[in-house]
Amino acid sequence: MKNKNLIIALTSSLVAIVIGLIIGFIVVYLTDSSIAVDAYTVLLSGGFYKGIKSTGEVLFYAMPVMMTGLSVAFAFKCGVFNIGTPGQYILGAFTSIFVCTYCDFIPSSVLWLVALIAGGIAGAIWAIIPGILKAFRNVNVVISCIMMNYIGMLLVIKWVKQYIYNSTGATSLTVSSANAVPSFGLYDFFNRSNVNIGIFIAIGLCILAYFILNKTTFGFELKAVGYNSEASRYAGMDDKKCIIISMMIAGFFAGIGGALAYTAGTGKSISTSEVLAADGFTGISIALLGFNNPLGVICAALFISYIELGGYYMQAYNIPVEIIDVIVACIIYCSAFSFFIRKIIESFFEKIGKGGKE
């Protein structure tokens, strides 16, 4: 039974991906049919287009979205839809830059780690608010998370201008390479790509989340409350505490994602434009594609990063950036329909089973 579910899950993900790829190709073909095949070949070879350097870039781009995907997946497993990842992500990003800028009394060898943890804590604190509202007032967590996203974005813009403003580019300051997450040889191994040990941290947190949810009593309680809070309360569990803790852990993962993205030493800065962090929303697609399984999130994040990098390389064919965004978005969002396709496949197998019994 377990193997059957795994096969259905993998099949539905593959079908969703193929549908997305087909739609993406149609968009390319309608844009310029003469280069459609060549351009799409580049898109599909994204992670290998420039050899091992491209592979390193896939790992680099996967770090933050793997964390936002894990944030959504973890909360969903606990019965909460955490759509507040953009807000938690940008709070984590701001906090990590702030720590790297003002806490220069901490040795550079550990400052990056302090910044990551601080970013995660900031995300957790931001997520605790909708968690408390849900636990004590039964406020719809989706609505409260959306509101927290905009509040967080506007607060970060204000704080950037107040504390870490770079007036030259109207953005935040950047984290220097001396205080960045170290690569420990990955920079050379992947032929001067931007990947660092943050990818191991991200994968390690996914494995830790899987272990907590599936191998510990604590994780069982969180999931039990998510399935049925009233029955869990009757069984002696503190449902309010579990809801709040679930959101805190989810927010911590999203905050770590923001911190990883902005402490990589690549010169990435926070824009003062009033736009929510795209990586936060990408996490929703990744969680759905990975079936809200922390281990599935690892694979889904790598796939999404692979496609996005391929889309970046497609610019060599003079395809407008907006069209590339549309293509990549079609593939990503069709991939997010894997859950819907899974239901269709399960329904199909059920009909076959009933037919066999008759």
Side-chain angles (χ1 to χ4, degrees):
M1 186 68 179
K2 192 172 182 179
N3 290 334
K4 180 184 175 183
N5 289 334
L6 179 63
I7 292 171
I8 292 175
L10 291 174
T11 303
S12 55
S13 292
L14 288 174
V15 170
I17 289 169
V18 170
I19 293 173
L21 292 172
I22 292 172
I23 294 175
F25 179 77
I26 293 172
V27 174
V28 179
Y29 190 83
L30 293 176
T31 303
D32 189 344
S33 59
S34 63
I35 61 169
V37 175
D38 292 337
Y40 215 64
T41 301
V42 171
L43 174 72
L44 297 179
S45 62
F48 305 105
Y49 184 64
K50 292 186 178 180
I52 196 167
K53 181 175 182 178
S54 295
T55 306
E57 293 299 326
V58 169
L59 297 176
F60 172 71
Y61 287 123
M63 286 189 303
V65 293
M66 191 180 293
M67 287 292 88
T68 53
L70 177 63
S71 174
V72 177
F74 189 93
F76 195 83
K77 282 288 186 183
C78 301
V80 185
F81 186 28
N82 178 29
I83 202 173
T85 46
Q88 297 146 19
Y89 173 94
I90 203 64
L91 259 295
F94 168 79
T95 305
S96 62
I97 296 176
F98 184 89
V99 169
C100 288
T101 303
Y102 286 98
C103 298
D104 53 359
F105 55 87
I106 300 174
S108 297
S109 57
V110 295
L111 181 57
W112 64 272
L113 184 58
V114 175
L116 288 186
I117 295 172
I121 292 173
I125 292 173
W126 204 245
I128 197 174
I129 299 172
I132 291 174
L133 292 174
K134 171 67 178 177
F136 289 97
R137 292 295 178 186
N138 199 28
V139 175
N140 189 306
V141 75
V142 173
I143 295 174
S144 60
C145 279
I146 291 173
M147 295 175 68
M148 293 302 293
N149 282 339
Y150 284 97
I151 295 171
M153 176 192 70
L154 295 173
L155 276 179
V156 165
I157 291 174
K158 178 181 181 298
W159 290 338
V160 163
K161 292 178 179 177
Q162 189 171 353
Y163 299 109
I164 53 173
Y165 191 55
N166 177 11
S167 57
T168 304
T171 61
S172 72
L173 297 174
T174 58
V175 174
S176 66
S177 56
N179 296 329
V181 179
S183 72
F184 288 155
L186 294 176
Y187 177 78
D188 294 323
F189 181 81
F190 285 99
N191 195 19
R192 302 167 68 85
S193 75
N194 292 312
V195 66
N196 55 47
I197 64 167
I199 185 63
F200 297 120
I201 295 173
I203 293 174
L205 287 175
C206 287
I207 295 172
L208 178 63
Y210 178 84
F211 180 81
I212 290 173
L213 287 173
N214 297 289
K215 304 295 181 183
T216 66
T217 305
F218 172 64
F220 172 79
E221 289 185 357
L222 294 182
K223 289 194 295 183
V225 170
Y227 287 133
N228 193 323
S229 60
E230 292 185 5
S232 302
R233 192 187 316 131
Y234 184 75
M237 300 176 193
D238 190 338
D239 58 326
K240 292 182 174 58
K241 185 180 78 174
C242 287
I243 292 172
I244 295 170
I245 291 177
S246 300
M247 283 299 294
M248 284 181 65
I249 296 175
F252 180 82
F253 291 142
I256 288 283
L260 283 173
Y262 287 84
T263 57
T266 57
K268 188 177 178 66
S269 58
I270 300 174
S271 171
T272 53
S273 305
E274 295 182 5
V275 179
L276 292 174
D279 285 347
F281 289 119
T282 303
I284 298 172
S285 303
I286 289 173
L288 292 173
L289 184 60
F291 284 101
N292 296 309
N293 185 316
L295 300 184
V297 163
I298 298 174
C299 301
L302 292 173
F303 169 73
I304 297 298
S305 300
Y306 184 97
I307 291 297
E308 287 192 340
L309 184 65
Y312 172 77
Y313 289 141
M314 282 178 72
Q315 294 181 48
Y317 285 86
N318 294 322
I319 296 178
V321 176
E322 292 79 8
I323 296 297
I324 294 173
D325 289 341
V326 169
I327 296 166
V328 174
C330 284
I331 296 171
I332 291 175
Y333 285 102
C334 281
S335 301
F337 280 107
S338 55
F339 187 81
F340 174 71
I341 295 172
R342 177 176 179 170
K343 291 297 180 186
I344 295 176
I345 295 175
E346 286 177 343
S347 175
F348 175 74
F349 277 111
E350 285 179 4
K351 287 180 180 177
I352 291 178
K354 290 179 181 177
K357 289 178 182 177
E358 291 171 355

